[in-house]
């Protein structure tokens, strides 16, 4: 086969190409898997042994030559691929903007509430979500027969009867009092777990903030004053508060705290069940049994504690009617905060 003749033919073919599409066709025709060059190389085994090496060499030289010719031509009008590349760099096009993330509404309100207490001299403390039965119940004076200790009302860890997912942030009271000495003023944000059926106002996981103050001579009026500063800061200066007698095993006396409805200002509406008041937290003076359990002298020290659900506060603050919205990761919801 006359390689020289083939070379001449191909050279003039390529010279005559006038578009990048034609160039692609030529590349396919000459250098493709079944192209002219591949066919030439395929004949090598059938050649006389002494001609094979020379022929192979010439075929390789020809291959390079064609590749170069195509490359040269390509520079004249650009290959289809590089053409597309050039068009994609349109300096007149607006850039791809990077979206800036922000804090989840729950996190924001936790920060906001912690900051209010930090300004009053409290420290922020955290505790583990997996707790001992002692810290979650016994240490807090919650008796064995209390329904919340039931396996159906609490997530116990399989194979570890004495470990559970804490059902409130109150066990951190026990931890903090055991590891520190009064005076003590802490707030404790964190997740808690209860096997509640999920609906618009219940989830099996939610967030609480616990508060605790212990020192000599702490009185119920201190609790009232601190909580009033908190409620005014979160809900506004004209908010009213009311303390309703209640029962918690770990506080005595105990009170549930209501604020005047932020929607109807106390006149009565669907949000407050026409009562004019919204319950926001549980509180009370720390029960002497709890102080004794952590080794504090009940003659010398007294204190108060309170606990609130964060989701409920965020829902009231922003008028959100379904707790599930917080955890569905729907950006249309999250972007509003
Ligand atoms: N731990 C209680 C609850 O989860 C709230 C509470 C905390 C009440 C501290 C009184 C004192 O319902």
């Amino acid at each position: 086969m006359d390689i020289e003749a083939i070379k001449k033919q191909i050279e003039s073919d390529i010279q005559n190409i006038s578009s990048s599409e034609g160039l692609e066709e030529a590349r396919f025709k000459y250098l493709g898997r079944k192209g002219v060059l591949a066919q030439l190389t395929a004949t090598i085994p059938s050649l006389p042994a002494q001609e094979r090496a020379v022929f192979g060499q010439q075929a390789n030289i020809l291959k390079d030559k064609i590749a170069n010719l195509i490359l040269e031509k390509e520079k004249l009008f650009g290959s289809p691929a590089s053409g597309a590349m050039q068009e994609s760099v349109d300096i007149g096009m607006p850039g791809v903007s990077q979206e800036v993330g922000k804090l989840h509404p729950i996190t924001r309100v936790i920060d906001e509430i912690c900051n209010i207490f930090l300004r009053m001299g409290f420290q922020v403390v955290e505790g583990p979500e997996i707790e001992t039965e002692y810290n979650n119940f016994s240490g807090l004076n919650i008796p064995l027969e209390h329904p919340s200790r039931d396996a159906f009302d609490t997530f116990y860890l399989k194979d570890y009867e004495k470990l559970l997912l804490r059902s409130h942030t109150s066990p951190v009271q026990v931890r903090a009092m055991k590891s520190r000495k009064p005076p003590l003023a802490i707030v404790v944000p964190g997740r808690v777990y209860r096997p509640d059926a999920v609906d618009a106002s219940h989830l099996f996981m939610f967030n609480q903030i616990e508060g605790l103050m212990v020192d000599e001579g702490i009185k119920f009026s201190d609790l009232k004053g601190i909580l009033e500063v908190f409620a005014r800061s979160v809900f506004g200066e004209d908010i009213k508060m009311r303390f309703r007698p209640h029962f918690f095993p770990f506080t005595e006396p105990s009170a549930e705290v209501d604020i005047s409805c932020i929607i109807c200002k106390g006149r009565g509406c669907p949000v407050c069940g026409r009562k004019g008041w919204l319950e926001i937290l549980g509180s009370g003076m720390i029960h002497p049994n709890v102080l004794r359990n952590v080794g504090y002298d009940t003659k010398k020290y007294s204190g108060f504690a309170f606990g609130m659900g964060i989701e409920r506060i965020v829902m009231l603050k922003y008028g959100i009617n379904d707790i599930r919205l917080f955890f569905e990761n729907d950006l249309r919801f999250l972007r509003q905060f």
Side-chain angles (χ1 to χ4, degrees):
M1 210 172 306
D2 185 354
I3 288 211
E4 230 9 74
I6 295 176
K7 185 175 149 195
K8 287 242 160 59
Q9 177 63 44
I10 293 178
E11 268 174 3
S12 78
D13 272 4
I14 292 179
Q15 285 314 324
N16 289 333
I17 291 173
S18 58
S19 71
S20 56
E21 289 79 20
L23 213 52
E24 264 317 289
E25 273 169 36
R27 192 200 306 279
F28 186 73
K29 184 171 156 198
Y30 300 128
L31 302 177
R33 219 154 50 79
K34 292 188 176 149
V36 174
L37 252 293
Q39 281 171 29
L40 276 183
T41 326
T43 62
I44 293 177
S46 62
L47 294 175
Q50 66 273 27
E51 286 175 26
R52 283 181 205 164
V54 180
F55 188 89
Q57 240 171 15
Q58 286 177 322
N60 274 337
I61 292 169
L62 177 57
K63 192 168 154 188
D64 289 346
K65 175 94 190 161
I66 296 170
N68 273 331
L69 284 172
I70 292 179
L71 215 64
E72 285 301 308
K73 260 291 203 224
E74 214 165 61
K75 283 183 192 153
L76 289 182
F77 28 69
S79 71
S82 68
M85 286 287 281
Q86 275 160 12
E87 277 156 30
S88 78
V89 186
D90 176 354
I91 56 164
M93 211 162 83
V96 182
S97 63
Q98 196 75 41
E99 278 199 64
V100 181
K102 44 184 166 178
L103 293 177
H104 191 279
I106 302 281
T107 311
R108 278 173 56 145
V109 172
I110 288 177
D111 287 354
E112 184 187 334
I113 293 175
C114 285
N115 280 329
I116 293 167
F117 286 103
L118 282 168
R119 285 201 292 275
M120 292 192 277
F122 284 70
Q123 282 184 296
V124 178
V125 176
E126 286 180 305
E129 290 170 28
I130 295 176
E131 258 300 357
T132 61
E133 195 174 27
Y134 181 83
N135 287 343
N136 197 80
F137 295 125
S138 313
L140 290 167
N141 200 38
I142 301 177
L144 260 180
E145 66 275 10
H146 196 280
S148 65
R149 291 182 80 136
D150 196 280
F152 295 104
D153 275 322
T154 300
F155 289 114
Y156 284 86
L157 266 70
K158 218 176 152 196
D159 305 329
Y160 296 96
E161 262 173 52
K162 301 266 177 245
L163 292 181
L164 45 91
L165 296 181
R166 64 181 177 191
S167 57
H168 49 180
T169 41
S170 301
V172 190
Q173 288 187 29
V174 178
R175 287 177 176 270
M177 287 193 281
K178 272 191 171 166
S179 63
R180 298 160 185 233
K181 282 190 164 55
L184 207 70
I186 57 164
V187 281
V188 186
R191 279 186 278 268
V192 304
Y193 301 84
R194 294 178 195 177
D196 287 338
V198 173
D199 63 27
S201 51
H202 294 88
L203 274 182
F204 42 82
M205 183 282 298
F206 59 98
N207 290 269
Q208 286 190 328
I209 290 188
E210 190 85 7
L212 177 80
M213 185 181 269
V214 190
D215 198 0
E216 293 179 36
I218 299 289
K219 301 179 293 294
F220 201 93
S221 52
D222 296 313
L223 170 66
K224 286 187 83 169
I226 294 267
L227 287 180
E228 205 155 310
V229 171
F230 152 74
R232 291 221 171 119
S233 310
V234 174
F235 296 107
E237 281 303 316
D238 53 351
I239 213 80
K240 288 190 190 60
M241 283 185 102
R242 123 181 137 169
F243 285 68
R244 254 185 309 107
H246 196 73
F247 172 78
F248 295 106
F250 35 95
T251 46
E252 181 59 36
S254 304
E256 276 194 331
V257 176
D258 299 338
I259 55 166
S260 50
C261 179
I262 51 181
I263 309 291
C264 64
K265 309 270 179 264
R267 265 175 272 118
C269 71
V271 172
C272 58
R274 312 206 182 280
K275 291 195 283 279
W277 295 95
L278 297 163
E279 182 213 317
I280 55 161
L281 57 86
S283 67
M285 300 304 288
I286 303 172
H287 196 292
N289 285 351
V290 177
L291 293 174
R292 269 191 282 276
N293 286 342
V294 297
Y296 283 6
D297 180 354
T298 54
K299 286 202 200 68
K300 195 169 175 198
Y301 295 115
S302 58
F304 63 73
F306 58 85
M308 64 185 105
I310 302 300
E311 282 76 0
R312 182 167 160 79
I313 299 217
V314 182
M315 288 167 82
L316 292 174
K317 199 171 154 72
Y318 293 110
I320 297 163
N321 58 12
D322 195 322
I323 192 172
R324 291 168 288 199
L325 288 165
F326 289 125
F327 303 105
E328 282 169 351
N329 266 341
D330 188 333
L331 290 179
R332 289 170 302 178
F333 172 74
L334 295 172
R335 280 205 180 103
Q336 297 176 61
F337 298 94

